[in-house]
């Protein structure tokens, strides 16, 4: 390695003002005595100058367009931004209410439907289920002559039957989402970790996870004590 | 706009003063627009994507964590918007227009991605076009770090945080990006040092790469 090699990076850092006082002084002193390094400095500097000078002023339509679309957002009650205070709280309470209502409906169905078809029982089954006060079905027994099948179900499990389930859902996350196609706006600012074949892992906060749940994205809940959720995103 | 002013502006937007977002747009629109332009190469697309980026930032502002500057967060958001656009465009293959001839027959006309086509160019314009072309010959990681520094004006610390790499790696990668770009320009006949008058005489750049 020549003496000039150690100045290669420093010349680049000098352009950006990212050298310590001592290194800056040493580098400038070296440039005075080395034509090759001085030439390199000039090239780097001119590239930087020309690139910055070539930056274009954005057209007026950019700001006008943003104003227009923000007005549209504010006037459209179906597509309001979450940043407006009060509406976030309203959406959270709607989330709780929605799932409580669904749990109550499912409990009612269990009480009235004679059998659970997907348990593969014959037509001569009898059904007996006990329902606790909070709507949880603790156990349902299905008797079919020679067979007795029991299934333990609660409303949370039944909810998950309607969602895209992730095999062996990781419990090291608050929740796991599988999203294909268009990436939700709320995830655009997150970094994506490529796992190959056009698939990415995106690690998100609980707040963002709850936003995705509110927006109806299929979810598998994990460990509610954790503070990170996982999105497994696939472009197609 | 200082960091504190930026934080106060964001707080105002989150508390419902949506007009305060305009100040953030004005402050950042040049960087956002030029980043989009560098990535997609078309002024109309860059305009649309810049607007998309700002609206997505507005909608997702309560997800902004103040452990980095708003402009850095906005960079990542704009970058992802542009990448998604380029992926969709790649899936659609090529940009095309339907044209109708005199007999009423329609056909598809393929158009090339022409960025600049001035009738007369000055030497500075030539240099800028050469840099623009040279950038596209760089590897994606070298191009990205160059853009982050020269277009988005990010510090080494901000670049390191965004790319999840060390500052040491930022320094060496950026230096190499500049070196590769300089060599591309030199190879293509664009000389940017004081010897540029002697065209044909290649600048004695170090060859440790």
């Amino acid at each position: 390695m020549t003496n000039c090699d150690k100045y290669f990076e420093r010349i680049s850092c000098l352009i950006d003002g990212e050298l310590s006082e001592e290194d800056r002084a040493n580098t400038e002193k070296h440039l005075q005595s080395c034509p090759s390094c001085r030439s390199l400095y000039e090239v780097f500097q001119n590239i930087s100058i020309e690139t910055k000078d070539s930056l274009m002023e954005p057209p007026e339509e950019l700001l006008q367009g943003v104003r227009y679309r923000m007005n549209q957002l504010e006037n459209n009650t179906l597509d309001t931004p979450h940043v407006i205070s009060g509406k976030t709280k309203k959406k959270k309470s709607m989330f709780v209410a929605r799932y409580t209502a669904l749990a109550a409906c499912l409990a009612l169905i269990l009480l009235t439907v004679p059998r659970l078809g997907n348990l593969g029982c014959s037509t001569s089954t009898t059904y007996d289920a006990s329902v606790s006060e909070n709507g949880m079905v603790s156990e349902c027994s299905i008797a079919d002559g020679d067979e007795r099948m029991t299934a333990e179900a609660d409303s949370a499990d039944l909810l998950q039957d309607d969602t895209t389930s992730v095999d062996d859902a990781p419990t090291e996350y608050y929740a796991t989402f599988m999203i294909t196609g268009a990436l939700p706006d709320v995830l655009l600012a997150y970094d994506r970790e490529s796992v190959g074949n056009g698939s990415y892992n995106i690690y998100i906060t609980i707040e963002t996870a709850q936003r995705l749940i509110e927006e109806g994205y299929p979810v598998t809940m994990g460990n509610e004590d954790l503070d990170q959720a996982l999105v497994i995103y696939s472009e197609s | 706009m200082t960091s504190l002013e930026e934080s106060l502006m964001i707080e105002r937007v989150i508390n419902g003063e949506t007009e305060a977002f305009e100040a953030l747009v004005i402050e950042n629109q040049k960087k956002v627009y030029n980043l989009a332009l560098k990535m997609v190469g078309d002024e109309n697309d860059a305009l649309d994507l810049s607007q998309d980026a700002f609206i997505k930032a507005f909608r997702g502002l309560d997800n902004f964590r103040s452990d980095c500057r708003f402009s850095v967060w906005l960079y990542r958001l704009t970058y992802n918007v542009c990448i998604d656009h380029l992926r969709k465009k790649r899936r659609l293959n090529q940009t095309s227009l339907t044209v109708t001839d005199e007999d009423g027959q329609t056909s598809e006309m393929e158009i090339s991605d022409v960025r600049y086509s001035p009738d007369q160019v000055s030497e500075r314009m030539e240099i800028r076009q050469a840099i623009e072309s040279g950038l596209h010959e760089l590897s994606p990681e070298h191009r990205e770090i160059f853009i982050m520094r020269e277009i988005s004006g990010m510090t080494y610390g901000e670049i390191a945080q965004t790319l999840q790499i060390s500052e040491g790696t930022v320094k060496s990668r950026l230096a190499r990006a500049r070196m590769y770009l300089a060599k591309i320009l030199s190879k293509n006949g664009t000389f940017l040092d004081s010897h540029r008058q002697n065209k044909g005489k290649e600048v004695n750049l170090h060859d440790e790469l």
Side-chain angles (χ1 to χ4, degrees), chain A residues 65-83:
Chain A
V66 173
R67 273 192 200 128
Y68 176 73
R69 289 167 70 174
M70 281 173 60
N71 283 337
Q72 278 194 314
L73 278 174
E74 288 190 298
N75 293 332
N76 184 346
T77 55
L78 292 178
D79 193 21
T80 50
H82 294 273
V83 298

Side-chain angles (χ1 to χ4, degrees), chain B residues 51-153:
Chain B
Q51 290 178 4
D52 285 349
F54 277 118
I55 292 301
K56 289 179 196 304
F58 173 69
R59 296 183 66 186
L61 205 56
D62 52 354
N63 284 316
F64 170 64
R65 291 163 288 185
S66 54
D67 55 350
C68 71
R69 287 206 60 158
F70 175 74
S71 58
V72 175
W73 181 73
L74 189 57
Y75 165 86
R76 177 50 67 186
L77 196 151
T78 307
Y79 179 87
N80 285 343
V81 164
C82 293
I83 285 289
D84 287 345
H85 168 80
L86 289 170
R87 283 200 189 110
K88 278 183 206 161
K89 207 170 171 181
R90 201 165 52 231
R91 280 201 290 274
L92 294 172
N93 225 5
Q94 286 178 312
T95 306
S96 63
L97 291 174
T98 302
V99 293
T100 307
D101 63 19
E102 292 172 346
D103 300 323
Q105 297 292 322
T106 58
S107 60
E108 296 296 319
M109 179 175 77
E110 303 299 332
I111 59 172
S112 58
D113 187 18
V114 178
R115 294 183 179 85
Y116 302 106
S117 58
D119 291 329
Q120 291 178 336
V121 293
S122 63
E123 183 188 358
R124 283 197 88 179
M125 273 295 287
E126 276 186 6
I127 291 171
R128 290 176 188 180
Q129 286 185 18
I131 292 174
E132 182 80 25
S133 298
L135 271 180
H136 286 275
E137 290 187 47
L138 289 178
S139 69
E141 68 174 20
H142 286 128
R143 181 167 57 248
E144 182 179 24
I145 203 166
F146 182 88
I147 287 173
M148 289 172 91
R149 174 64 212 154
E150 299 289 10
I151 307 292
S152 300

